[in-house]
């Protein structure tokens, strides 16, 4: 499903390598837990120190109402599996926005996609979201309106869904990874270049974790720490390794992995999440470094520093995560759906307050999505509730595409490029020239968007939706 790499998997991971909000024991970031009354989430524009030199104007932020701290780091929402969750979006931006709850299986009306599941939330307006998350794990929330600009300038937060049956860790660090496109004066420059949007996407100039450069978090020496990682960038694929500590992959895209494995290197694409169990170094002051491995020069993502006397824990002490619902596909009766991922230059994108960036470079089944408009294309396919489907994705482009499905999960069955792992997921990284089969049970009625999470690809045509009824 993702490119988890032991030594035997480095060959396939190297293909992707060629492409190119922290909650710790101390300090604690902004966070809120779902309560009977909605958590009010403000979306607004602010001046924020991102590069460590000067404040960047026009940063788009989320913050909880009544939040006393001026901390600009993206807030972490917390909810409990199966319990009512309520959030009220207050739009204090100068443009419409929405909230999409990425990876959550929720009622269609709560999915946050304008013209598909809800209207715009205009400046000064509010919109209430309510659902009971059925799965525990690491998820996230972001706008689905003018997405390249709003996400590119900072709107993205982690949603942690807890389960009391999960094992107890000695600490937790949440890392929200993303680039910002800033000029030499520390101010925003154009979010994309058309020639790059037609290829891998336009990379940022400043790499951050929790909107900071190479942040450091203190963690208990010799303890077991849960490291939750979100790739919230609009373009970048991360090739992650951790030095100075033992670590095991325990969950991916919010769901426990079938078998834990020692972290060698893992590829995490835009929209995906990776959970690690880290056994912290014993000696106080020792640093562990999370790096993004590039083809030439590794880049530091974040650092962990051991503090206190060693707790002398072992990864073997850690019990299993609570299981989420799987994908119980009946392959004997599955209907196959062809999904061709390709480039196109046939149609110009339609103008929209909330969608188009003016170009059409990509398509699904040779049809580029017209943008977030009141008149979308027909669904890719109409699915019958409860029936099993095989999504036959074929990527005929020389670029990787992290394909995300709203509202439901799938499981990889086969690939012509690599041995697939039977992971339950909502976002699959389709490699160049890869043909992959994803098993899907259409268990959630509604119109569910299906798109590449390289946002320039999404906004220039590689988008569609399934109708489940």
């Amino acid at each position: 499903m993702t490119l988890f790499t032991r030594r035997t998997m480095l060959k396939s991971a190297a293909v992707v390598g060629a492409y190119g909000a922290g909650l710790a024991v101390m300090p604690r970031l902004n966070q809120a837990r779902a309560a009977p009354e909605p958590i009010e989430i403000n979306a607004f524009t602010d001046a924020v120190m991102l590069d460590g030199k000067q404040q960047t104007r026009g940063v788009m932020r989320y913050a909880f109402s009544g939040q006393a701290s001026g901390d600009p780091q993206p807030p972490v929402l917390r909810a409990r599996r199966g319990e009512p969750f309520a959030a009220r979006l207050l739009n204090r931006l100068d443009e419409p926005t929405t909230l999409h709850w990425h990876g959550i299986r929720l009622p269609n009306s709560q999915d946050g996609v304008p013209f598909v599941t809800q209207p715009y939330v205009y400046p000064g307006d509010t919109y209430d979201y309510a659902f009971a998350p059925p799965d525990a794990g690491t998820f996230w929330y972001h706008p689905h309106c003018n997405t390249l600009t709003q996400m590119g300038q900072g709107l993205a937060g982690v949603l942690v869904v807890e389960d009391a049956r999960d094992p107890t860790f000695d600490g937790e660090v949440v890392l929200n990874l993303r680039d910002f496109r800033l000029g030499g004066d520390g101010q925003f420059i154009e979010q994309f270049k058309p020639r790059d949007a037609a290829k891998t996407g336009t990379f940022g100039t400043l790499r951050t974790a929790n909107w900071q450069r190479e942040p450091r978090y203190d963690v208990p020496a010799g303890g077991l720490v849960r490291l939750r990682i979100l790739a919230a960038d609009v373009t970048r694929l991360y090739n992650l390794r951790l030095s100075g500590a033992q670590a095991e992959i325990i969950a991916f895209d919010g769901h426990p992995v079938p078998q834990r494995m020692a972290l060698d290197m893992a590829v995490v694409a835009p929209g995906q999440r990776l959970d690690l169990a880290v056994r912290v170094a014993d000696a106080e002051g020792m640093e562990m470094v999370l790096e993004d491995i590039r083809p030439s020069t590794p880049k530091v993502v974040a650092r962990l520093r051991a503090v206190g006397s060693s707790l002398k824990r072992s990864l073997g002490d850690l019990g299993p995560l609570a299981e989420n619902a799987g994908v119980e596909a009946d392959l004997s009766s599955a209907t196959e759906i062809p999904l061709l991922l390709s480039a196109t230059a046939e149609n110009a994108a339609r103008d929209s307050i909330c969608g188009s960036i003016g170009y059409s470079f990509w398509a699904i089944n040779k049809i580029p999505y017209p943008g977030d408009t009141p008149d979308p294309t027909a669904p890719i396919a109409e699915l019958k509730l409860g029936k099993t489907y095989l999504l036959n994705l074929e990527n005929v482009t020389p670029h990787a595409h992290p394909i995300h499905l709203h509202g439901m999960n799938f499981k990889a069955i086969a690939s012509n490029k690599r041995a697939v792992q039977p992971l339950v997921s909502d976002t699959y990284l389709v490699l160049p020239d890869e043909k992959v089969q994803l098993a899907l049970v259409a268990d959630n009625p509604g119109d569910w968007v299906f798109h590449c999470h390289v946002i320039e690809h999404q906004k220039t045509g590689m988008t569609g939706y399934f109708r489940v009824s």
Side-chain angles (χ1 to χ4, degrees), residues 207-219:
R207 300 172 61 143
T208 71
N210 299 330
W211 295 199
Q212 302 172 80
R213 298 180 64 178
E214 302 181 15
R216 178 187 286 111
Y217 298 99
D218 288 346
V219 290

Side-chain angles (χ1 to χ4, degrees), residues 20 34 55 68 71 120 154 166 236 302 364 366 422 464:
Q55 287 195 325
D71 191 344
Y120 291 140
D166 278 344
R236 185 176 300 280
I364 297 177
K366 300 184 179 180

Side-chain angles (χ1 to χ4, degrees), residues 10 61 66 97 114 152 239 304 313 320 329 332 352 360 401 435 455:
L10 287 175
R61 291 182 51 193
T97 191
N239 300 257
L304 305 178
R313 298 289 304 279
S332 66
S352 169
S360 176
H401 299 287
K435 296 179 181 179
I455 302 301

Side-chain angles (χ1 to χ4, degrees), residues 112-256:
V113 182
F115 301 120
V116 178
T117 67
Q118 71 162 89
Y120 291 140
V121 183
Y122 284 95
D125 286 350
T126 63
Y127 195 88
D128 284 0
Y129 297 90
F131 51 88
D135 303 308
T138 305
F139 304 96
W140 64 300
Y141 59 100
H142 64 78
H144 230 281
C145 186
N146 196 15
T147 318
L148 184 61
T149 296
Q150 293 186 12
M151 285 182 60
Q153 293 185 198
L155 288 184
V158 173
L159 171 62
V160 173
V161 181
E162 299 171 341
D163 190 308
R165 297 171 297 171
D166 278 344
T168 300
F169 290 83
D170 303 305
E172 182 178 282
V173 176
V174 180
L175 295 177
N176 190 333
L177 309 184
R178 57 124 348 94
D179 295 359
F180 290 94
R181 281 186 54 76
L182 305 181
D185 60 355
Q187 304 310 309
F188 283 112
I189 57 178
E190 288 295 326
Q191 288 295 302
F192 78 102
K193 299 176 182 178
R195 66 177 179 272
D196 292 335
K199 297 178 182 177
T200 57
T202 307
F203 290 91
T205 61
L206 174 68
R207 300 172 61 143
T208 71
N210 299 330
W211 295 199
Q212 302 172 80
R213 298 180 64 178
E214 302 181 15
R216 178 187 286 111
Y217 298 99
D218 288 346
V219 290
L224 295 179
V225 170
R226 185 167 184 166
L227 183 57
R228 299 179 187 264
I229 300 169
L230 160 66
D233 195 65
V234 298
T235 302
R236 185 176 300 280
L237 279 64
Y238 294 86
N239 300 257
L240 298 176
R241 75 177 179 193
L242 181 69
S243 61
Q246 295 176 291
E248 290 184 346
I249 297 168
I250 59 173
F252 185 73
D253 279 356
H255 302 279

